């Protein structure tokens, strides 16, 4: 079982999608490249926040992701 990336984008959108996914009872792993770069003392505008879920949960979260993408 591995992790599957379901989103890559701005921190605000990532947080909104994370809330929606967690509302259906699925845990989300967040990789925040923006915060990591800032804490490291350098910044880069092409970095993004990535969201991951377990591969086994993808079928459950896919409708939530598609609805979110259609709403933005």
């Amino acid at each position: 079982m591995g992790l599957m990336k379901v989103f890559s984008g701005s921190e605000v959108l990532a947080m909104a999608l994370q809330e929606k996914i967690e509302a259906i009872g699925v845990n989300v792993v967040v990789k925040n490249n923006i915060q990591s770069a800032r804490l490291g003392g350098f910044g880069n505008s092409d970095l993004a926040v990535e969201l991951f879920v377990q591969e086994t949960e993808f079928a459950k979260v896919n409708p939530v992701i598609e609805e979110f993408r259609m709403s933005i």
Side-chain angles (χ1 to χ4, degrees):
M1 315 275 173
L3 294 175
M4 174 179 270
K5 183 170 30 171
V6 295
F7 179 81
S8 179
S10 75
E11 190 169 16
V12 173
L13 291 176
M15 289 174 48
L17 180 57
Q18 178 183 0
E19 286 181 17
K20 291 180 181 293
I21 293 172
E22 289 178 344
I24 62 169
V26 175
N27 291 327
V28 177
V29 176
V30 179
K31 181 179 177 188
N32 191 333
N33 296 316
I34 298 167
Q35 290 294 336
S36 296
R38 190 173 68 189
L39 291 174
F42 60 93
N44 195 341
S45 62
D46 65 342
L47 295 176
V49 177
E50 299 171 328
L51 301 180
F52 298 85
V53 298
Q54 289 291 331
E55 289 177 349
T56 56
E57 301 279 8
F58 183 72
K60 185 175 180 181
V61 301
N62 192 42
V64 174
I65 296 166
E66 290 303 317
E67 179 183 328
F68 180 78
R69 287 186 177 159
M70 296 302 288
S71 70
I72 55 174

